[in-house]
């Protein structure tokens, strides 16, 4: 029987936490899911543990060369069979009723293309309260999401066709790939919210992306520049994107100058200066800037 939702877990060198995440999926109160684990080239014994686990439970396992979570999640969606996708990061956990409650929410709201639940935040083993800027709400959250990513990966459920129509996550982006995709989707889709804490988000460990990837804002700047080449933006949305892009460019350029990376700083300063003149007719110019940013991200190690 075709599953209602495909659960996709990307995994890289987090064997113990991964097995706990898998257990939280297997404990779900509904059986209407398929479980897909993508091993992103782990070297810590993950492959062997998954192979043994697959002897006792039904799950799909695929292994790719290490390319980052965006590529791993995209691979999971490529082999998914269900009309809905739910992502779970390997360091997070689900409440036993997470899928059942969210599937019911999506059935009750057939016009909803993407939804999420609320979360419990754990930092270094202790529960913490998210700041006001991280608090979730339903509806049109595009402008609010420009400064802070307001859709959490482990809480999201998205219609498979929609995900595929946007081309999935940008695989160059080793960070902020979720911020990038959610913004592209939120241009013309509202977000649903099941206001129940059905996900436990575990942070503070040293291998988190925020700890291992320096200068995360360079990826957010790239995502914002890409948005300005999108002709779906209304004038009001475009103005908001420009404002946040210029702000982030100025801050990031200042850090580059302090570290003597003058050529890079000039690129981001130029983007901040030119952004207000960008409109849909300037798409080729924006495209050239995006290409330059991609080249810098790919070729130059950042330490800001």
């Amino acid at each position: 029987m075709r599953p209602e939702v495909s659960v996709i877990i990307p995994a890289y060198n987090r064997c113990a936490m991964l097995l706990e995440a898998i257990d939280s999926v297997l404990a779900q109160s509904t059986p209407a899911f398929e479980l897909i684990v993508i091993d992103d080239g782990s070297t810590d014994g993950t492959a062997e543990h998954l192979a043994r686990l697959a002897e006792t439970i039904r799950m799909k396992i695929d292994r790719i060369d290490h390319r980052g979570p965006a590529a791993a999640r995209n691979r999971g969606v490529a082999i998914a069979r269900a009309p809905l996708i739910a992502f779970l990061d390997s360091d997070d956990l689900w409440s036993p009723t997470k899928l059942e409650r969210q599937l019911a929410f999506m059935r009750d709201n057939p016009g909803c293309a993407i939804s999420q639940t609320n979360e419990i935040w754990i930092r270094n083993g202790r529960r913490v309260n998210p700041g006001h800027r991280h608090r979730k709400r339903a509806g049109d959250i595009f402008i609010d999401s420009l400064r802070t990513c307001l859709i959490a990966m482990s809480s999201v459920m998205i219609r498979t066709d929609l995900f595929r129509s946007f081309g999935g996550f940008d695989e160059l982006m080793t960070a902020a790939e979720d911020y990038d995709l959610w913004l592209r989707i939120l241009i013309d889709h509202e977000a649903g919210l099941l206001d129940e804490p059905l996900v436990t988000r575990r942070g503070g460990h040293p291998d988190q992306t925020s700890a291992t990837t320096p200068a995360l804002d360079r990826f957010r700047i790239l995502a914002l520049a890409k948005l300005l080449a999108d002709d779906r933006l209304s004038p009001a949305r475009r103005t908001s994107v420009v404002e946040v892009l210029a702000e982030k460019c100025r801050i990031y350029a200042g850090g580059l100058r302090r570290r003597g990376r003058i050529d890079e700083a000039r690129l981001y300063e130029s983007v901040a200066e030119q952004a207000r003149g960008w409109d849909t007719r300037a798409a080729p110019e924006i495209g050239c800037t995006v290409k330059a940013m991609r080249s810098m991200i790919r070729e130059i190690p950042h330490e800001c």
Side-chain angles (χ1 to χ4, degrees):
M1 186 170 67
R2 188 187 187 195
E4 290 188 61
V5 58
S6 297
V7 176
I8 297 171
I9 307 178
Y12 179 66
N13 286 351
R14 276 186 188 156
C15 188
M17 299 186 89
L18 168 64
L19 296 178
E20 293 174 345
I22 290 173
D23 282 344
S24 79
V25 177
L26 299 178
Q28 291 299 296
S29 56
T30 175
F33 66 87
E34 66 171 353
L35 173 58
I36 301 171
V37 179
I38 307 298
D39 180 4
D40 184 27
S42 297
T43 58
D44 66 343
T46 290
E48 293 76 13
H49 280 279
L50 288 175
R52 286 195 293 271
L53 191 58
E55 294 174 358
T56 60
I57 68 168
R58 182 176 296 178
M59 61 188 293
K60 293 181 181 178
I61 302 170
D62 200 4
R63 181 176 172 86
I64 62 175
D65 293 336
H66 181 51
R67 292 160 52 201
R73 294 191 192 101
N74 286 347
R75 175 56 186 161
V77 176
I79 61 178
R81 296 187 298 127
L84 291 164
I85 298 293
F87 296 105
L88 175 60
D89 281 349
S90 57
D91 53 348
D92 293 336
L93 303 170
W94 281 350
S95 161
T97 60
K98 195 268 187 186
L99 285 183
E100 180 181 8
R101 298 285 297 120
Q102 199 166 11
L103 282 170
F105 179 89
M106 295 298 281
R107 284 193 294 267
D108 292 343
N109 296 273
C112 179
I114 182 169
S115 73
Q116 61 179 331
T117 74
N118 238 314
E119 308 165 296
I120 295 169
W121 282 22
I122 303 294
R123 284 279 184 274
N124 299 313
R126 300 179 62 181
R127 182 166 181 173
V128 297
N129 294 321
H132 179 75
R133 68 189 180 97
H134 291 286
R135 290 178 186 166
K136 299 179 182 180
R137 65 178 181 82
D140 181 359
I141 61 172
F142 175 82
I143 291 177
D144 289 347
S145 296
L146 292 173
R147 285 189 171 84
T148 303
C149 185
L150 292 181
I151 295 182
M153 185 66 70
S154 293
S155 75
V156 75
M157 186 175 286
I158 182 171
R159 301 202 185 273
T160 307
D161 288 346
L162 176 67
F163 181 93
R164 289 173 175 163
S165 73
F166 276 86
F169 297 105
D170 184 336
E171 296 185 11
L172 171 66
M173 300 181 73
T174 55
E177 75 285 352
D178 52 344
Y179 170 86
D180 171 70
L181 178 59
W182 306 148
L183 283 176
R184 287 188 277 135
I185 290 173
L186 290 171
I187 288 176
D188 48 21
H189 290 277
E190 294 189 350
L193 175 62
L194 179 57
D195 194 11
E196 300 177 27
L198 300 176
V199 175
T200 298
R201 186 171 176 177
R202 298 189 289 181
H205 43 91
D207 63 344
Q208 279 189 285
T209 299
S210 57
T212 61
T213 306
L216 285 173
D217 256 358
R218 72 187 191 271
F219 293 99
R220 299 186 184 105
I221 289 167
L222 173 59
L224 292 168
K226 287 167 60 180
L227 277 180
L228 287 175
D230 195 317
D231 59 11
R232 294 176 298 147
L233 283 179
S234 67
R237 292 185 189 278
R238 181 172 297 278
T239 297
S240 296
V241 173
V242 164
E243 179 182 328
V244 177
L245 173 63
E247 173 187 299
K248 288 185 179 297
C249 281
R250 285 192 292 267
I251 293 170
Y252 184 51
L256 290 169
R257 282 192 173 276
R258 286 193 295 274
R259 288 160 179 80
R261 305 165 90 115
I262 305 303
D263 288 344
E264 294 169 77
R266 285 173 179 157
L267 170 65
Y268 288 97
E269 288 165 350
S270 173
V271 172
E273 291 170 3
Q274 296 175 24
R276 294 195 181 278
W278 282 348
D279 55 25
T280 54
R281 292 168 297 179
E285 179 184 348
I286 299 170
C288 289
T289 301
V290 168
K291 184 177 180 180
M293 289 180 183
R294 285 184 179 278
S295 179
M296 280 193 173
I297 286 172
R298 183 183 298 112
E299 296 174 5
I300 300 176
H302 290 255
E303 299 171 355
C304 298

